[in-house]
Amino acid sequence: MASAAGIAAYRPPALLQAVSVLDLLELTGSTVHTAELLNLSQPTVSRRSRGIAQDLGVQLHQPIHAEGLRCGDGPCLRLLRRAAKCHRLE
């Protein structure tokens, strides 16, 4: 997919796409809105987010933490978010 200027649109690598799903879920607050933004079905987003949460050892839809995160936080997730940010900025 190329933009009008001939520059390819940014797409995170598969390993970092999981972080995008959790972050969008955090921002939108629902799997329905996240699915719309990612052009996926709501059940697909639900399955992916549950799988990601299980793999990373975080719980989804927790009461809001002091940091304001509902999808959990942990050392692994913080490092993945940092990696996604660095990759996007390159």
Side-chain angles (χ1 to χ4, degrees):
M1 173 188 307
S3 67
I7 299 172
Y10 174 75
R11 183 167 187 203
L15 290 172
L16 298 177
Q17 286 179 0
V19 176
S20 298
V21 172
L22 282 184
D23 287 346
L24 277 174
L25 187 58
E26 185 75 50
L27 290 171
T28 63
S30 77
T31 56
V32 173
H33 291 108
T34 300
E36 289 173 0
L37 291 171
L38 294 173
N39 293 321
L40 298 171
S41 68
Q42 185 274 332
T44 299
V45 170
S46 292
R47 277 192 303 275
R48 284 186 185 179
S49 61
R50 281 194 311 267
I52 295 161
Q54 185 177 18
D55 289 347
L56 298 178
V58 297
Q59 290 193 351
L60 299 176
H61 309 297
Q62 296 179 4
I64 297 178
H65 294 288
E67 298 87 18
L69 299 173
R70 288 181 297 169
C71 291
D73 193 25
C76 184
L77 189 53
R78 275 185 246 130
L79 288 173
L80 286 171
R81 281 187 171 127
R82 188 178 301 161
K85 181 180 178 180
C86 288
H87 187 274
R88 187 175 61 247
L89 293 174
E90 283 185 2

